[in-house]
């Protein structure tokens, strides 16, 4: 089966939530020489490959219910370049 | 009376919870495998700690969708007492039975140590036998135990008396030093508005036997059993 | 497609000409490329112990409580009474941890846990013995060491916590000899009924051979020089240099296997550890006196295009080989499916004694299993006695303020509190930890058996460097002493020998001396060695590590009331030193820390004196009069007293008067003479203690009383006054402070 459609769901912590990992990374980035760094947040990318275009409504539902915890995270869907 | 202890792939504290009930209190408790579709026939449900599904995606995220949880959610909405401990608390938040979420410890390290908790609500099935203001000692053992809710939710929880346990120092004060993980408002455990669903990050299932250094956890299980018996009576 | 066997290729597989000849005579022909790989891995030092087997045979391995002895199976098993038994073992993962500390340590934990449940035992606790180079300061080695420490601790925590086995004790040492060569020795113990010991033998001709667990990939193969395809940049990425563990899969495997074993469907079970499929196939056949035939086409794989060589040598984690009783295959599949574990029936038990591996119909490997598993050559390595260590005389050492020295020792990460480390380990899961990390030995309540077990790991590398034989004896003695202080009777030992390159005669001399010292001590303490591990080639350009024969010892506490901890409890309790005031500073941490020397003769161990001491402590603990017991080790009497004051939840001071002596005060305070224990008893227990000591002719010195807000030690030259807050602060936060440095 050839999976022609590749999507990326980017899940990031909400700005209002303290992201201690992001803080630690920001401090390290600053120490290593980029002193003008501001906020750093650490999230994740979930890469999904589909045989064809997935149903948009269903995909959103799955993002909201499974891939993202809406209490603490936001998500956005990106289309990756076709293979 | 029969209490269900749900087992997910990756649950570690199922046996500890079971024994707290069977050995600690001599009551009937059974494992319910996550693939079961119903918890009817049980009088209460314990969601034990551990690393269900390896904590993949988010702690408790995948457990939420297991067949047994659909039944637990319905039962909880109908008033069945549901007790979520550690990973169990995380699952309860993921299902929406409890508000808020548990996020990574502020120190970014897993932390296992004894903590002092103040019991602030003795109107739930799990805390009826205790006095408000009692200070309990129990261990925590988690990497993602910092309770988070937005300002509005926090206000509602506090005003609604839904904060059941709070991290405090030996004088009963919720100081920053007493907060091991960065939980907002030093929150260690909350309940739903009707009080039948309780989530707690520390482990009463590891403090039910004086050999372990504290028996303070036993009171919570005893209170649950007492409630079930008085309801049945 | 497969390379021809040139002398170069054979050499690169770690096989000598003689070994190749031996292979030819076993097979009656030349091996093919895949078979060469199989022999190379089975006859490697790691799998065959070819350089150390002769030495390891010196260990005492039998005893009335030994149910499975060393070398028989994956772990030894000891009877603990009432139908119950324990399986335990210690293993190292040193080199992988130097390369990738997190995964190296994590997979080390995963591996030892599998070794235990493969025996049919539920793993119930872990201990770890770790060694790193110094972690304080700004030097590059210190930064590296800190990264290693953080990674190793996080890795152990990651695997142990997720799989739900508590890490309840261990030790951590810091010394330059471990720069670049961390030691990660992990100990695991499991509980089982003595009638339910599982064996790793392929028994029952015709029985099915199943593979269960994670799919096979190219893990651990990056080092393999050859494969059936060219090494391009792309293919390099397919070969993780490091094995990555999956503790969630490990947990599923653990539960599934234990369920499988209680179902009675299993005839034999073996985990795939080092040399993966190769080792498990050949060893089960060898133990069973049978043969095993497998088909690689049936092995679950997560990569495409893997050659037979790669599949057989892969070190992918979390995989088991199960021999299933005929008629039980459905039962077995049911259990694997319940736990969502990949599985496949890969072969069958035969009666021809061969390890036979097929791939797509053709025979890739055909080797007599027993000869492969057992006929690795055994070598006798050369030894050479190294020059005697520098001797020291007290008169050559300028006198330093003892208070300053005490603070220096308490601050030394080897002595300092390890709380930064053990708070990352879940040490409370399984609701059995009675004495958590921080005391002489860990104590665990095994609920199913209603028994209390105590366990400890010990090895003082300074002693071992200066006199490996004496150091090894002391490692055993100290472990037994720690167990005695906790109220336990020692039962048995697992050893993890960590040494340098065995081809250097001086290193091998150290190993032989250590083994003989260990063996003698185990005989005297009646603690047979049930199994263990050898790790060699622990070297950097600076040279080999200090010889480190780590001892893991398990004991039984028969009555809950005998459980004893190391810290003082109540004001007014009387403090005694059992043993002599001592005077040996050779190899002491005091000499190393204050004077920068690793010199002198380490303290002597007198077995009779030590055995009498331990017997005495056991007897008086049972009378109920002992409120705390703590042995003197690194840092001597002063450090032991300080620890007894500050290591409990409630700090409490002590007022001590040293007996008159013509020894220098610092020697009295910090010497590390052996066979010494500090006990505290309530006032009304003093007479009984003294009577018992007189009766057994055990030296007893009354030192003082518990109480106050400081440790006061009155000496001939003045009073050493240590406020508890100061001592505690120095000791408690030292490691956290060192690690608060951000190292990028």
């Amino acid at each position: 089966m050839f999976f022609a459609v590749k999507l990326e769901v980017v899940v990031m912590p909400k700005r209002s939530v303290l992201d201690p990992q992001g803080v630690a990374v920001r401090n390290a980035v600053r120490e290593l020489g980029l002193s003008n760094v501001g906020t750093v947040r650490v999230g994740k990318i979930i890469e999904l490959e589909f045989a064809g275009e997935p149903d948009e409504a269903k995909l959103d539902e799955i993002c909201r219910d499974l891939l993202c915890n809406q209490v603490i995270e936001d998500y956005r869907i990106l289309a990756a370049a076709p293979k | 009376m029969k209490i269900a202890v749900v087992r997910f792939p990756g649950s570690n504290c199922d046996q500890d919870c079971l024994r707290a009930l069977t050995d600690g209190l001599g009551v009937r408790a059974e494992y319910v495998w996550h693939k079961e579709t119903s918890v009817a026939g049980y009088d209460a449900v314990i969601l034990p700690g551990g690393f269900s599904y390896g904590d993949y995606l988010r702690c408790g995220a995948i457990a939420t969708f297991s067949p047994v949880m659909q039944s637990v959610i319905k039962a909880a909405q109908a008033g069945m007492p549901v007790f979520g401990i550690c990973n169990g608390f995380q699952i309860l938040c993921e299902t929406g039975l409890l508000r808020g979420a548990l996020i990574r410890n502020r120190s970014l390290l897993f932390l296992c140590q004894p903590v002092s908790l103040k019991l602030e609500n003795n109107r739930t099935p799990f805390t009826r036998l205790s006095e408000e203001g009692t200070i309990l000692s129990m261990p925590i053992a988690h990497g993602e135990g910092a309770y988070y809710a937005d300002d509005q939710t926090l206000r509602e929880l506090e005003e609604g008396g839904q904060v059941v346990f709070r991290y405090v120092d030996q004088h009963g004060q919720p100081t920053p030093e007493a907060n091991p993980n960065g939980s907002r408002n030093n929150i260690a455990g909350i309940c739903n508005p009707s009080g039948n669903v309780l989530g707690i990050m520390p482990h009463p299932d590891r403090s039910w036997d004086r050999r372990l250094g504290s028996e303070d956890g036993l009171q919570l299980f005893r209170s649950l059993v007492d409630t079930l018996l008085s309801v049945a009576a | 497609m497969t390379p021809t066997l040139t002398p170069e290729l054979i050499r690169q597989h770690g096989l000598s000409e003689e070994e190749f000849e031996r292979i030819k005579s076993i097979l009656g022909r030349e091996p093919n490329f895949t078979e060469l790989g199989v022999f190379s891995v089975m006859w490697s030092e790691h799998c065959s112990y070819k350089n150390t087997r002769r030495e390891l045979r010196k260990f005492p391995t039998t005893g009335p409580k030994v149910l499975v002895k060393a070398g028989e199976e994956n772990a030894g098993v000891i009877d603990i009474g009432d139908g119950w038994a324990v399986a335990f073992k210690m293993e190292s993962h040193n080199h992988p941890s130097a390369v990738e500390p997190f995964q190296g340590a994590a997979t080390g934990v995963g591996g030892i846990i599998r070794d235990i449940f493969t025996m049919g035992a539920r793993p119930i606790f872990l201990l770890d013995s770790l060694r790193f180079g110094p972690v304080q300061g700004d030097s590059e080695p210190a930064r590296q060491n800190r990264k290693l420490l953080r990674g190793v601790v996080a890795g152990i925590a990651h695997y142990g916590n997720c799989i739900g086995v508590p890490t309840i004790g261990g030790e951590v040492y810091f010394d330059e000899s471990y720069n670049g060569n961390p030691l990660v020795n992990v100990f695991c113990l499991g509980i089982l009924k003595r009638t339910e010991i599982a064996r790793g033998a392929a028994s029952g001709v015709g029985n099915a051979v199943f593979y269960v667990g994670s799919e096979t990939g190219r893990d651990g193969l990056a080092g393999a020089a050859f494969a059936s395809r060219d090494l391009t940049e792309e293919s390099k990425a397919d070969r993780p240099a490091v094995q990555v563990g999956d503790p969630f899969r490990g947990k599923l495997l653990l539960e599934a296997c234990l369920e499988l074993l209680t179902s009675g469907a299993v005839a034999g079970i073996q985990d795939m550890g080092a040399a993966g499929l190769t080792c498990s196939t050949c060893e089960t056949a060898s133990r069973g006196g049978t043969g095993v035939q497998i088909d690689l086409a049936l092995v679950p794989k997560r990569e495409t295009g893997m050659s037979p060589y790669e599949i057989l040598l892969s070190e992918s984690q979390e995989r088991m080989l199960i021999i299933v009783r005929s008629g039980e295959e459905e039962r077995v599949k049911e259990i694997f499916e319940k736990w969502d574990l990949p599985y496949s029936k890969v072969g069958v038990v035969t009666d021809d004694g061969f390890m036979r591996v097929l791939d797509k119909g053709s025979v890739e490997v055909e080797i007599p299993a027993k000869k492969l598993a057992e006929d690795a050559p055994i070598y006798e390595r050369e030894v050479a006695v190294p020059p005697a260590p520098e001797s020291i005389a007290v008169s050559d050492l300028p006198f330093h303020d003892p208070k300053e020295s005490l603070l220096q020792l308490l601050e030394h990460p080897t002595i300092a509190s390890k709380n930064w480390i053990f708070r990352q380990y879940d040490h409370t899961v399984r609701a059995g930890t009675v004495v958590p990390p921080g005391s002489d030995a860990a104590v665990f309540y095994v609920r199913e058996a209603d028994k209390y077990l105590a366990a400890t790991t010990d090895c003082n590398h300074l002693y071992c460097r200066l006199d490996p034989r004496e150091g090894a004896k002391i490692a055993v003695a100290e472990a037994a002493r720690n167990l005695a202080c906790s109220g336990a009777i020692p039962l048995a030992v697992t050893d993890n020998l960590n040494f340098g390159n065995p081809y250097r005669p001086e290193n091998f001399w150290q190993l032989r001396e250590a083994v003989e010292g260990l063996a003698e001590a185990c005989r005297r303490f009646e603690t047979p060695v049930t199994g263990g591990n050898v790790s060699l080639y622990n070297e950097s350009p600076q040279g080999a590590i200090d010889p480190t024969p780590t001892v893991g010892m398990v004991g039984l506490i028969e009555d809950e009331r005998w459980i004893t901890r190391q810290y003082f409890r109540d004001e007014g309790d009387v403090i005694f030193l059992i043993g002599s005031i001592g005077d040996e500073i050779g190899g002491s941490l005091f000499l190393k820390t204050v004077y920068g020397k690793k010199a002198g003769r380490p303290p002597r161990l007198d077995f009779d004196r030590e055995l009498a001491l331990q017997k005495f402590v056991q007897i008086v603990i049972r009378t109920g009069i002992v409120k705390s017991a703590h042995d003197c080790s690194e840092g001597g009497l002063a450090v032991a007293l300080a620890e007894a004051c500050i290591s409990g939840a409630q700090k409490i001071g002590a007022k001590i008067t040293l007996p008159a002596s013509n020894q220098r005060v610092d020697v009295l305070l910090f010497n590390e003479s052996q066979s010494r224990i500090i006990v505290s008893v309530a006032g009304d227990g003093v007479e009984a203690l003294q009577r018992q000591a007189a009766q057994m002719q055990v030296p007893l010195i009354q030192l003082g009383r518990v109480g106050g807000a400081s440790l006061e030690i009155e000496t001939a030259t003045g009073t050493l006054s240590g406020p508890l807050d100061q001592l505690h602060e120095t000791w408690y936060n030292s490691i956290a402070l060192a690690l608060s440095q951000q190292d990028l």
Side-chain angles (χ1 to χ4, degrees):
Chain A
M1 211 181 186
F2 180 59
F3 295 102
V5 178
K6 189 156 140 180
L7 298 175
E8 290 175 354
V9 179
V10 178
V11 179
M12 295 296 295
K14 281 182 150 62
R15 284 194 175 265
S16 54
V17 180
L18 174 68
D19 176 16
Q21 238 187 144
V23 172
V25 172
R26 186 197 70 204
N27 293 341
V29 167
R30 205 164 38 204
E31 280 299 301
L32 285 170
L34 290 177
S35 54
N36 57 349
V37 63
T39 313
V40 173
R41 291 183 306 134
V42 178
K44 56 186 126 163
I45 293 183
I46 298 155
E47 207 181 71
L48 302 147
E49 292 180 3
F50 295 97
E53 282 293 336
D55 175 74
E56 235 182 81
K58 197 62 175 165
L59 179 62
D60 267 311
E61 192 188 309
I62 286 172
C63 284
R64 280 195 313 273
D65 288 346
L66 175 69
L67 301 181
C68 166
N69 179 337
Q70 300 214 285
V71 175
I72 46 173
E73 294 169 328
D74 292 320
Y75 74 92
R76 57 187 190 273
I77 304 175
L78 306 174
K83 287 213 266 196
Chain B
M1 175 189 37
K2 217 171 39 157
I3 300 179
V5 176
V6 178
R7 275 184 113 189
F8 299 97
S11 293
N12 286 326
C13 311
D14 40 339
Q15 194 169 44
D16 297 344
C17 287
L18 195 86
R19 281 169 171 169
L21 294 164
T22 58
D23 297 1
L25 295 171
V27 301
R28 202 164 146 213
E30 287 173 4
Y31 292 131
V32 174
W33 187 234
H34 69 110
K35 290 182 182 165
E36 298 292 330
T37 51
S38 174
V39 289
Y42 291 95
D43 303 289
V45 172
I46 315 277
L47 299 177
F51 286 66
S52 60
Y53 298 91
D55 276 0
Y56 291 153
L57 191 61
R58 294 180 306 279
C59 301
I62 299 177
T64 304
F65 295 96
S66 57
V68 76
M69 279 313 293
Q70 305 318 305
S71 173
V72 171
I73 292 169
K74 286 205 193 68
Q77 285 162 346
M80 184 188 285
V82 176
F83 194 6
I85 302 171
C86 200
N87 190 219
F89 185 6
Q90 291 162 339
I91 294 171
L92 287 172
C93 288
E94 283 283 337
T95 59
L97 282 173
L98 290 177
R99 299 171 70 186
L102 283 319
I103 63 176
R104 191 108 179 249
N105 292 352
R106 196 179 350 224
S107 64
L108 298 178
L109 296 176
F110 188 99
L111 189 52
C112 177
Q113 65 177 52
V115 294
S116 297
L117 303 176
K118 184 187 278 187
L119 193 152
E120 297 192 356
N121 173 338
N122 68 348
R123 299 176 306 284
T124 76
F126 317 90
T127 51
R128 274 179 52 248
L129 291 184
S130 309
E131 270 192 45
E132 257 179 41
T134 315
I135 303 199
L136 310 174
S137 173
M138 268 179 231
I140 54 167
H142 55 243
E144 278 92 5
Y147 181 75
Y148 173 85
D150 60 39
D151 295 343
Q152 163 99 352
T153 307
L154 266 186
R155 218 179 0 255
E156 288 167 15
L157 289 175
E158 296 284 1
E159 283 166 15
Q162 289 174 249
V163 177
V164 183
F165 300 102
R166 211 181 294 272
Y167 298 111
V168 293
D169 64 13
Q170 77 236 78
H171 306 298
Q173 295 310 307
T175 60
E177 293 73 36
N179 186 333
N181 50 32
S183 288
R184 291 199 78 184
N185 292 14
N186 280 35
I187 289 173
I190 60 167
C191 64
N192 62 348
S194 40
N196 64 308
V197 178
L198 174 63
I200 183 175
M201 272 321 285
H203 283 271
D205 53 315
R206 300 181 192 179
S207 40
W208 61 270
D209 178 350
R210 56 164 181 76
R211 291 179 181 100
L212 306 173
S214 169
E215 278 181 294
D216 291 349
L218 191 58
Q219 192 75 321
L220 305 180
F221 294 107
R222 182 178 284 123
S223 184
L224 170 65
V225 169
D226 189 77
T227 304
L228 295 177
L229 289 173
S230 60
V231 160
Chain C
M1 265 284 260
T2 60
T4 39
L5 302 192
T6 60
E8 173 70 10
L9 190 67
I10 294 164
R11 210 182 41 79
Q12 276 167 340
H13 274 79
L15 293 166
S16 69
E17 270 179 48
E18 295 78 25
E19 286 170 343
F20 190 69
E21 289 305 311
R22 188 185 272 231
I23 292 171
K24 279 182 4 191
S25 80
I26 288 176
L27 296 178
R29 53 172 171 83
E30 280 215 356
N32 63 31
F33 177 67
T34 307
E35 288 169 332
L36 184 73
V38 165
F39 272 101
S40 116
V41 89
M42 287 304 296
W43 287 10
S44 66
E45 179 62 44
H46 185 76
C47 285
S48 72
Y49 294 102
K50 58 191 173 189
N51 284 305
T52 52
R53 258 211 329 213
R54 205 169 238 148
E55 301 304 317
L56 298 177
R57 286 180 183 156
K58 297 173 181 168
F59 285 148
T61 58
T62 54
K65 300 196 164 85
V66 177
L67 297 174
V68 175
K69 47 191 259 274
E72 254 184 78
E73 298 283 343
N74 282 57
V77 180
I78 293 284
D79 190 327
I80 58 169
D82 298 315
W84 292 95
V86 290
F88 64 91
K89 189 172 168 196
M90 187 156 54
E91 262 191 5
S92 61
H93 232 222
N94 303 333
H95 302 290
S97 300
V99 171
E100 212 311 292
F102 184 92
Q103 287 300 341
T107 50
V109 172
I112 190 67
I113 286 177
R114 278 196 304 280
D115 272 336
I116 297 306
F117 74 72
T118 256
M119 298 301 298
R122 174 174 284 281
I124 54 176
F125 63 76
L126 295 157
L127 275 74
D128 52 57
S129 172
L130 310 175
R131 292 163 207 262
F132 302 94
V135 288
Q136 295 169 314
D138 272 320
S139 67
E140 188 51 35
R143 292 159 73 84
Q144 286 309 316
N145 293 328
R146 284 195 289 271
K147 285 185 179 174
L148 289 172
L149 173 61
R150 289 191 190 101
V152 165
V153 170
I156 293 173
H158 167 71
Y159 209 104
N161 296 350
C162 181
I163 203 171
V165 181
T167 301
I168 63 173
E171 51 180 359
V172 192
Y173 277 76
F174 298 86
D175 183 89
E176 310 78 62
S177 88
Y178 302 112
N179 273 337
N181 271 293
L183 297 189
V184 177
N185 295 170
V186 187
F187 166 107
C188 182
L189 180 143
I191 185 78
L192 73 168
K193 293 227 180 70
R194 50 169 294 163
T195 49
E196 293 176 349
I197 299 173
R199 302 269 174 178
S203 49
V205 176
N207 279 348
V209 176
F210 273 75
Y211 165 124
V212 63
S214 296
E215 292 93 340
T216 299
R218 295 193 165 94
D219 305 72
L221 286 173
F226 300 91
S228 62
R229 59 179 197 169
D230 296 328
L231 252 192
T232 61
E233 272 310 307
E234 241 180 57
S235 60
K236 261 205 204 140
D238 293 340
R239 289 178 167 197
V242 152
Q243 307 122 357
V244 172
D246 179 348
F248 174 56
R249 256 301 156 70
K251 167 74 175 175
L252 299 181
L253 204 58
L254 189 162
E255 296 299 335
C257 287
L258 290 180
E259 211 175 297
L260 212 58
L261 287 166
T262 55
S263 76
V266 172
I269 175 171
Q270 171 79 7
D271 87 305
M272 295 192 214
L277 199 45
T278 294
C279 190
S280 50
T281 306
C282 125
E283 280 192 355
T284 47
S286 173
R287 282 196 199 104
T290 50
V292 170
Q293 175 168 302
I294 60 174
D295 186 345
L296 297 181
L298 301 171
V299 167
K301 307 172 195 74
R302 66 165 204 264
E303 302 283 347
T304 52
M306 290 183 70
S307 65
Y309 183 99
E310 290 175 314
I311 300 170
L312 284 172
L313 268 51
S314 162
E315 297 201 338
S316 296
Q317 300 289 294
E318 284 93 34
R319 302 176 300 160
M320 307 289 288
L321 203 70
I322 317 257
I323 319 291
V324 178
R325 288 192 204 290
S326 82
E328 297 286 349
E329 293 182 31
E330 284 317 305
R331 181 94 192 86
V332 158
K333 288 179 186 172
E334 227 174 76
I335 292 175
F336 291 151
E337 276 163 24
K338 170 183 172 181
W339 289 96
D340 295 315
L341 287 165
Y343 69 90
S344 172
K345 178 169 162 181
V346 295
V348 69
V349 178
T350 69
D351 61 0
D352 65 4
F354 275 84
M355 169 187 169
R356 189 175 295 105
V357 180
L358 310 176
D359 192 26
K360 305 187 200 69
S362 53
V363 177
E364 293 291 331
V365 168
E366 193 167 50
I367 304 174
K370 235 191 189 15
K371 295 221 158 104
L372 176 60
E374 293 174 21
D375 279 8
I378 300 181
Y379 296 123
E380 176 143 5
R381 292 258 65 79
E382 257 184 71
V383 295
V385 183
E390 182 196 337
S391 61
I392 37 112
V394 174
S395 48
D396 295 335
L397 304 170
F399 184 78
H400 287 176
D401 172 28
K403 167 83 185 286
E404 281 314 306
S405 299
L406 177 60
L407 288 172
Q408 251 184 293
L409 284 165
L410 289 176
E411 201 237 358
H412 192 295
T414 294
I415 288 182
S417 166
K418 308 296 183 293
N419 70 86
W420 184 91
I421 292 171
F422 65 69
R423 286 192 304 169
Q424 293 179 57
Y425 302 149
D426 187 344
H427 50 268
T428 55
V429 64
R430 302 205 62 78
T433 308
V434 176
V435 178
S439 191
D440 278 327
V443 177
F444 192 88
Y445 177 58
V446 186
R447 210 169 287 273
E448 45 269 74
D450 190 25
K451 288 189 180 289
Y452 294 89
L453 292 174
T456 180
T457 60
D458 282 285
C459 179
N460 183 315
H461 66 97
L462 289 174
Y463 301 166
C464 293
R465 174 202 179 93
L466 298 167
D467 182 339
R469 181 180 293 259
E470 204 65 20
K473 284 191 215 164
I474 288 173
V476 177
E478 207 191 318
R481 196 185 313 136
N482 279 329
L483 292 184
C485 284
S486 71
I489 303 271
L491 291 177
V493 156
T494 173
D495 68 293
N496 204 135
L497 306 179
N498 304 277
F499 289 80
N501 180 343
Y503 286 82
R504 272 190 247 259
E506 294 183 355
N507 291 347
F508 204 79
W509 176 83
Q510 290 176 338
L511 189 145
R512 169 173 298 168
E513 287 286 298
V515 166
E516 291 181 2
L518 251 168
E520 189 188 349
C522 286
R523 269 189 293 274
R524 290 302 305 266
F525 288 98
E526 293 179 60
T527 50
V529 175
T530 59
N533 185 242
V534 179
S535 168
L536 301 177
Y537 298 98
N538 291 288
E539 317 228 335
S540 67
Q542 278 72 51
I545 54 164
D546 285 348
T548 311
T550 312
V551 168
M553 194 182 279
V554 178
L556 193 60
I557 303 178
E558 285 178 9
D559 188 321
E560 181 193 354
R561 295 167 300 175
W562 301 344
I563 297 174
T564 309
R565 294 160 175 79
Q566 71 177 35
Y567 34 85
F568 296 143
R569 289 164 47 196
D570 296 304
E571 170 126 12
D573 286 346
V574 185
I575 302 168
F576 286 88
L577 169 64
I578 316 169
S580 66
I581 198 69
D583 59 4
E584 296 157 287
I585 58 167
S588 66
L589 199 57
F590 168 65
L591 191 63
K592 168 90 207 306
T593 307
V594 176
Y595 300 97
K597 290 175 184 293
K598 286 188 187 182
R601 270 181 97 205
R604 302 285 95 192
L605 180 74
D606 179 327
F607 281 119
D608 293 328
R609 195 184 306 156
E610 181 70 41
L611 286 161
L613 169 85
Q614 292 185 19
K615 189 151 177 64
F616 173 79
V617 158
Q618 279 156 359
I619 289 173
V620 293
I621 281 179
R622 286 166 199 215
T623 63
I625 57 175
V626 173
K627 297 193 58 186
S628 73
H630 185 29
D631 81 313
C632 294
S633 58
E634 284 88 4
L637 179 67
V639 165
L641 286 167
E643 287 172 338
C645 289
I646 61 181
S647 64
Q650 309 295 113
K651 305 190 279 292
I652 190 164
K655 218 163 136 62
I656 305 289
T657 307
L658 286 188
S661 166
N662 39 20
Q663 289 289 342
R664 223 165 74 173
V665 162
D666 53 353
V667 171
L668 287 180
L669 291 171
F670 304 116
N671 80 75
E672 293 182 8
S673 285
Q674 292 294 297
S675 308
R676 299 183 304 149
I677 292 177
I678 299 174
V679 293
S680 64
V681 301
D684 57 14
V686 169
E687 218 196 289
L689 190 75
Q690 289 169 324
R691 229 180 310 123
Q692 186 69 44
Q695 199 182 318
M696 291 181 66
Q697 296 183 314
V698 166
L700 192 68
I701 303 172
Q702 187 160 338
L703 289 179
R705 276 187 192 267
V706 176
S710 60
L711 170 62
E712 305 281 320
I713 306 180
E714 220 178 274
T715 75
T717 57
T719 302
L720 188 163
S721 180
L724 291 182
D725 287 339
Q726 184 190 29
L727 299 182
H728 185 265
E729 168 72 34
T730 306
W731 170 84
Y732 193 80
N733 292 317
S734 173
I735 291 181
L737 256 163
L739 292 172
S740 63
Q741 291 244 48
Q742 194 173 43
D743 298 307
L744 301 161

